[in-house]
Amino acid sequence: RLSWIMLNCDSKAVEKMSDEDEAPVVKKARIFYGSLEEKEKERLSREGTSSAARDAVKAAIEAGNINISSGESMEMEERVSERQAEVLAEFERRKRARQITVSTDDVEVKACLRALGEPITLFGEGPAERRERLRNILSVVGPDALRKSKKEDEKAKRTQDEYQQTWYHEGPSSLKEARIWLAKYSLPRAVERLDAARAQKEIPESTRTVKQQELHKALRNVNNFCSQIGDDRPISHCQFSPNSKMLVTASWSGLCKLWKVPDCTLVRTLRGHNTNVGAISFHPQATLTLEESDVNMASCAVDGSVKLWSLDSDEPVADIEGHSMRVARVAWHPSGRFLGTTCYDNSWRLWDLEAQEEILHQEGHSKGVHDLHFHPDGSLAGTGGLDAFARVWDLRTGRCIMFLEGHHKEIYSINFSPNGFHVATGSGDNTCKVWDLRHRRCMYTIPAHENLVSSVKFQPNDGHFLLTGSYDNIAKVWTHPGWSPLKTLAGHEGKVMGLDLSPDGQLIATCSYDRTFKLWMSE
């Protein structure tokens, strides 16, 4: 028995040595997706796993700890083929990139990148890197994408040009008759103005210099002559009568008041508006040739109402209807036949009071139109809008002959100089710009105030100085030409909302948010 055991052990040792000498089996690499649940079942069945173990596996499956799958697998060669396909696609892309022609002009390269919606430059990127980036982008999206983008840009530009082009529509016969009448009215006045300018030029330079120095000296001596509480609410507008003996004021209370100057005694209170009155203006011949019972004044209010007034009644003579939004200003044409109104519906209108009808409804601003002023000859009209632009219109043809672009904020005031070729505009950007109609450009920008410029006004007779009022509570007098400050009119406790100069040149009036108006006179 001992010998059999030894023999048996020797045979086992030989068997073990033969197993060690045998070469290991090379296993093929396989990647399994999911669980090895099926394999585990087979192993357990071969080993005769007890029913308790099977129950444990079943419980684990039900608990979700063992995921069941179909035992799918993918050979490594499939992954390798996908990688090869990606590499081949990259080589093809680079081949296409080498065949694409890209401009060497860096500006054109940036334009192409912008057209494709890509950044035109990256941090630290030079022209060569930018060209290479464009080439790589085109190799992906294709060269046709750039052509399509250019075609779309050209189409959009063409559509925009068509949208911006000037168009006309046929107006009524009354408008044609009015334009002819305006041409016949304005041309003789232009001749008279030019003759007066030539006569002024014949005066010796020394004489003109002396007169200018005397005027400047008088303006430096201007002081507050009278201050009067005009209403319970802020006073929005004031204007002297053509004979310089009366002053009319408009208030946010809806009342307009007529004052005798220079003693500031109340003559009449005009009642008719129910809301804030924006402006009131005298007829050019009021207090001169018109009867007191005729239409001598016009006013406008926030509710869109426009009313006409006489001098002998505190009730309006007539109403002008047609505005649906705020009317900011009213202005009389120098002839007195036409009345202009500005509205916050982005338009201004011209009314023929003889025919008692609206003859022109002119659009052109992209926002509300705030101020309007007529040229001394009666041939042109200037409008200032909340879109920061002003326009000069030829009333005889209907064309916009000059586009005043340069202000950064709303334009609240516009005024023509008596010399006929200068225009001043006051804006919310705190500046006053002076424009030359002859050269069609801005000739000077006055950094006038510390707040928005609410009103600008040239000297009515000669235009030898300019007056500006602002929401910084002061008004200033500026030389013309030169545009240097001569005098600061300080005294109001609130915003200066309006101002005017008397036609005889003796008085300056300012009205304010502090509910007062003040008269200024040279000592």
Side-chain angles (χ1 to χ4, degrees):
R1 182 178 297 177
L2 179 63
S3 60
W4 181 84
I5 293 173
M6 292 178 59
L7 181 61
N8 192 18
C9 290
D10 292 340
S11 63
K12 288 183 178 179
V14 171
E15 183 179 354
K16 184 176 181 180
M17 291 177 60
S18 63
D19 291 339
E20 290 177 354
D21 294 337
E22 186 178 354
V25 179
V26 180
K27 294 183 179 181
K28 193 172 184 179
R30 298 175 68 87
I31 296 178
F32 290 90
Y33 289 91
S35 68
L36 300 177
E37 182 239 346
E38 295 294 337
K39 299 292 182 182
E40 186 67 13
K41 284 182 177 180
E42 293 178 3
R43 186 182 67 80
L44 292 175
S45 61
R46 283 197 306 269
E47 294 179 0
T49 309
S50 63
S51 60
R54 285 195 297 272
D55 294 342
V57 172
K58 186 176 181 181
I61 292 174
E62 293 176 353
N65 296 328
I66 298 179
N67 296 324
I68 301 174
S69 69
S70 59
E72 294 178 356
S73 64
M74 185 180 73
E75 300 292 337
M76 291 293 291
E77 285 77 2
E78 297 181 16
R79 294 286 300 274
V80 173
S81 62
E82 285 185 6
R83 178 60 180 165
Q84 289 175 350
E86 292 177 1
V87 173
L88 290 175
E90 178 66 17
F91 277 118
E92 289 294 330
R93 189 193 65 77
R94 293 183 182 179
K95 183 178 179 181
R96 290 196 303 271
R98 288 193 297 270
Q99 295 174 350
I100 295 174
T101 304
V102 178
S103 173
T104 57
D105 185 3
D106 193 46
V107 176
E108 188 173 347
V109 171
K110 290 181 179 179
C112 293
L113 288 170
R114 181 180 288 110
L116 293 171
E118 297 289 335
I120 62 172
T121 184
L122 301 177
F123 181 76
E125 185 182 53
E129 293 87 350
R130 193 175 298 113
R131 290 181 63 244
E132 188 63 26
R133 182 161 61 92
L134 176 61
R135 182 180 283 110
N136 291 335
I137 293 172
L138 291 176
S139 67
V140 175
V141 301
D144 294 338
L146 188 59
R147 299 190 190 99
K148 292 179 180 177
S149 178
K150 289 183 178 179
K151 288 181 180 179
E152 291 176 358
D153 292 343
E154 291 176 358
K155 184 178 180 180
K157 186 177 180 181
R158 186 165 57 252
T159 304
Q160 186 177 8
D161 292 341
E162 292 175 356
Y163 178 74
Q164 292 181 349
Q165 70 182 2
T166 304
W167 56 274
Y168 301 92
H169 62 85
E170 186 176 356
S173 58
S174 58
L175 177 59
K176 180 180 178 181
E177 295 172 0
R179 294 199 190 282
I180 295 173
W181 188 93
L182 286 166
K184 293 179 179 179
Y185 173 83
S186 62
L187 289 175
R189 290 173 65 90
V191 172
E192 293 177 5
R193 176 175 55 83
L194 294 175
D195 290 342
R198 295 188 188 97
Q200 183 70 18
K201 192 175 181 181
E202 296 298 326
I203 299 176
E205 181 71 23
S206 59
T207 305
R208 283 183 288 170
T209 303
V210 169
K211 288 184 178 180
Q212 190 174 23
Q213 290 175 350
E214 291 176 353
L215 176 62
H216 291 176
K217 182 179 179 181
L219 289 172
R220 290 190 182 96
N221 292 327
V222 168
N223 287 303
N224 187 10
F225 171 75
C226 173
S227 181
Q228 176 68 40
I229 297 177
D231 202 278
D232 297 333
R233 298 291 307 280
I235 300 178
S236 57
H237 194 77
C238 64
Q239 188 182 27
F240 284 102
S241 63
N243 66 356
S244 303
K245 294 182 180 180
M246 286 192 291
L247 179 76
V248 66
T249 60
S251 170
W252 281 9
S253 66
L255 300 178
C256 299
K257 295 184 179 182
L258 201 59
W259 306 83
K260 188 177 180 181
V261 293
D263 52 2
C264 295
T265 57
L266 181 61
V267 177
R268 182 170 285 104
T269 300
L270 308 177
R271 307 174 188 274
H273 289 289
N274 299 320
T275 183
N276 302 10
V277 181
I280 186 167
S281 179
F282 274 105
H283 188 285
Q285 297 301 318
T287 69
L288 296 179
T289 60
L290 286 181
E291 298 291 336
E292 289 191 356
S293 58
D294 293 336
V295 174
N296 284 264
M297 293 174 289
S299 64
C300 62
V302 173
D303 59 1
S305 60
V306 178
K307 298 183 182 295
L308 305 179
W309 308 84
S310 64
L311 292 176
D312 60 356
S313 174
D314 57 358
E315 298 290 334
V317 175
D319 292 346
I320 295 179
E321 299 178 351
H323 296 286
S324 59
M325 299 182 69
R326 173 183 175 181
V327 180
R329 292 288 185 269
V330 289
W332 289 92
H333 187 266
S335 66
R337 175 179 172 178
F338 303 99
L339 181 70
T341 57
T342 63
C343 186
Y344 273 29
D345 63 358
N346 308 355
S347 69
W348 64 277
R349 309 187 189 202
L350 193 65
W351 307 82
D352 188 343
L353 298 186
E354 289 187 4
Q356 298 182 358
E357 65 175 348
E358 173 193 305
I359 61 171
L360 178 63
H361 184 180
Q362 182 66 60
E363 298 177 342
H365 289 270
S366 60
K367 292 186 178 180
V369 185
H370 190 81
D371 197 20
L372 167 71
H373 190 244
F374 290 101
H375 191 276
D377 297 344
S379 56
L380 308 176
T383 56
L386 304 182
D387 54 2
F389 301 125
R391 291 177 179 267
V392 179
W393 308 86
D394 190 340
L395 298 175
R396 300 162 296 185
T397 62
R399 293 177 179 270
C400 176
I401 62 171
M402 186 173 175
F403 184 65
L404 282 58
E405 180 180 10
H407 282 293
H408 301 298
K409 291 187 178 180
E410 304 88 354
I411 294 177
Y412 291 109
S413 184
I414 185 169
N415 192 256
F416 284 99
S417 171
N419 63 20
F421 52 84
H422 282 158
V423 187
T425 54
S427 170
D429 59 11
N430 308 350
T431 65
C432 173
K433 289 184 180 289
V434 182
W435 311 79
D436 195 322
L437 295 179
R438 300 168 300 181
H439 299 95
R440 302 170 67 85
R441 64 179 178 85
C442 176
M443 59 176 295
Y444 197 81
T445 299
I446 306 173
H449 293 274
E450 297 178 357
N451 207 328
L452 67 85
V453 180
S454 59
S455 185
V456 295
K457 183 82 173 181
F458 279 102
Q459 181 194 14
N461 296 326
D462 304 314
H464 288 162
F465 63 88
L466 176 68
L467 192 63
T468 61
S470 170
Y471 274 21
D472 59 5
N473 303 356
I474 60 175
K476 292 184 179 181
V477 183
W478 308 84
T479 62
H480 176 212
W483 318 112
S484 59
L486 279 175
K487 181 71 175 180
T488 298
L489 308 180
H492 282 291
E493 298 178 359
K495 313 166 188 175
V496 175
M497 304 183 72
L499 52 83
D500 195 26
L501 294 98
S502 62
D504 60 6
Q506 298 300 313
L507 294 172
I508 297 174
T510 57
C511 61
S512 170
Y513 195 84
D514 61 10
R515 302 170 298 150
T516 68
F517 69 89
K518 298 182 185 294
L519 298 182
W520 310 78
M521 181 184 292
S522 178
E523 295 180 351

